[in-house]
Amino acid sequence: MSRSSLHLDSPRQPLARTGAGSPAPASNAGAAPATPASSPSPSLPRSGGDHWRYSSQLNQQLTAAQRALGFVDGLAGQLEALKGELSGQLTQRRVDSARLARGIEQVAQQWSQRGAASGGSLDSRLQFRLAADARQTFTVRGLEIANLTQGAPETLVFFSGEPGSGPAAVKVGEPLSEAALLAALGRALAPSGIQPQLDEQGQLQFSVAEMAWQGVRERFSLRGGGIRFPAGQPQHLKLQPTEQALQPQQWQSADHAGARQTLQKVLRALDQLQLSRAAISRAMAEVRHAIAQLSQMSEQLWADGFVNDFNARFNTPDSESGLYEVVPALLGVSRYRVLSLLALP
């Protein structure tokens, strides 16, 4: 498997703040977010079915990254302008609430275009997904790890309401382990497109493709056995979406206190955009490197070379030195993320 074909969902790492919380200078700050921030992705000559299919996938990934970068830079420009306005008014000890409200509205409008402008490559937490398959994460009251792995056994029957997916039964309760629970939920909910996962704190949450979110939110229901959930008719589940990276609709500008709080939120948003921009840039560099390699050799030769190099590196007497190259990339990858990945059907 080529690493460039994987989803890029990098753990957050703090970056040094440039200036007063600003990300790297954004290009085309006032431009529409859908405008690509880089030159068009290079196309590769058609030279065989597998070769063309793989090169086409790489070009699609590069295009997704360019769209995401364009959106990030456009949003960063709007936030920089709002930050300057807030800072200036707070320094002069006067608040023009109407002017600030217009700036906040511009940010909110741009943020609302995230899915379309990034082509699905940025989710609501500003995490970049190279395959352009952004997902909405959510929690469900009553579906917590402790509640489902402890106590008397019970069979839960899920109804997603999605076309082509019928009822899905999962047996919960002792002596079910966390890993077994995730695997069982993953198998049961896979036809509906819902995936169970553990967050960084080890709490159970779910995710679904953003385009399917509203339908799942309206129709997801559950019938229990009378222990954790009622038996009889399925009960509609209340889904709680995870908090978005930006919530400009909640930003205040009526007075000095509200303006100061909004400024802090703008600075945090700029920091998050800086992290997203770095992740997108890394992904673009990897895809371009893969495209360059593929343009010089066939897919099979490239794959064979990668496997041989990997085996040679980790099957030699001094292979421990290779571990020092891998370990830094795994720092920050929690046990819960590994469990979630292993549980995927």
Side-chain angles (χ1 to χ4, degrees):
M1 180 184 295
S2 165
R3 63 178 178 176
S4 62
S5 65
L6 298 175
H7 295 281
L8 183 61
D9 193 2
S10 305
R12 302 282 187 193
Q13 298 293 337
L15 298 182
R17 180 180 292 174
T18 59
S22 309
S27 61
N28 300 326
T35 303
S38 334
S39 57
S41 55
S43 58
L44 296 176
R46 194 172 201 159
S47 55
D50 290 340
H51 185 281
W52 172 253
R53 182 168 58 251
Y54 187 58
S55 64
S56 177
Q57 180 187 27
L58 288 174
N59 277 286
Q60 290 172 1
Q61 291 174 346
L62 186 56
T63 298
Q66 290 171 336
R67 293 185 66 177
L69 192 63
F71 173 79
V72 165
D73 283 348
L75 182 59
Q78 294 282 5
L79 287 169
E80 284 286 0
L82 180 57
K83 183 189 76 171
E85 192 67 43
L86 286 162
S87 300
Q89 292 194 22
L90 288 172
T91 299
Q92 297 173 17
R93 297 186 177 277
R94 65 174 180 82
V95 171
D96 185 341
S97 59
R99 186 181 181 92
L100 292 178
R102 286 194 295 272
I104 293 173
E105 176 58 29
Q106 289 176 346
V107 171
Q109 184 177 5
Q110 191 138 338
W111 176 244
S112 70
Q113 299 170 0
R114 170 188 53 81
S118 69
S121 57
L122 276 178
D123 67 17
S124 63
R125 296 173 297 167
L126 281 176
Q127 291 181 336
F128 175 61
R129 299 183 66 90
L130 193 57
D133 60 346
R135 301 180 67 82
Q136 172 67 56
T137 56
F138 61 93
T139 57
V140 182
R141 185 176 182 180
L143 297 182
E144 293 89 20
I145 286 290
N147 189 35
L148 298 180
T149 57
Q150 300 173 12
E154 179 182 15
T155 297
L156 306 180
V157 182
F158 293 89
F159 301 83
S160 70
E162 290 297 296
S165 64
V170 177
K171 189 173 182 179
V172 300
E174 294 180 350
L176 198 62
S177 67
E178 292 182 4
L181 172 65
L182 283 175
L185 287 171
R187 288 191 297 269
L189 297 175
S192 65
I194 299 173
Q195 294 177 359
Q197 57 198 59
L198 298 181
D199 64 16
E200 295 302 323
Q201 288 72 46
Q203 302 302 311
L204 180 62
Q205 63 181 17
F206 301 84
S207 72
V208 68
E210 285 192 340
M211 64 180 61
W213 162 241
Q214 287 303 325
V216 169
R217 191 174 194 178
E218 294 170 1
R219 296 187 293 267
F220 200 29
S221 58
L222 170 64
R223 182 179 68 228
I227 300 176
R228 296 165 184 80
F229 291 91
Q233 291 297 319
Q235 303 293 311
H236 180 261
L237 293 172
K238 185 176 182 180
L239 312 186
Q240 181 61 44
T242 54
E243 187 172 298
Q244 296 191 5
L246 273 71
Q247 296 179 302
Q249 69 278 6
Q250 298 181 4
W251 295 354
Q252 303 297 318
S253 61
D255 51 29
H256 283 80
R260 279 194 297 270
Q261 291 176 3
T262 296
L263 178 59
Q264 293 303 313
K265 293 174 181 177
V266 167
L267 293 176
R268 285 196 293 271
L270 284 167
D271 282 344
Q272 288 180 291
L273 285 173
Q274 185 181 3
L275 295 177
S276 295
R277 198 181 200 285
I280 296 168
S281 296
R282 288 195 299 270
M284 291 177 70
E286 290 186 3
V287 173
R288 286 194 172 107
H289 178 67
I291 289 175
Q293 286 186 313
L294 191 60
S295 66
Q296 300 171 16
M297 64 180 72
S298 70
E299 179 181 357
Q300 185 62 48
L301 286 175
W302 181 89
D304 290 344
F306 175 83
V307 172
N308 292 336
D309 179 68
F310 186 91
N311 287 334
R313 183 175 302 219
F314 289 99
N315 290 282
T316 57
D318 63 341
S319 61
E320 288 186 3
S321 63
L323 293 176
Y324 293 108
E325 300 180 23
V326 175
V327 169
L330 299 179
L331 293 177
V333 179
S334 70
R335 164 179 172 265
Y336 305 118
R337 180 166 293 181
V338 173
L339 279 175
S340 295
L341 292 173
L342 292 176
L344 290 176

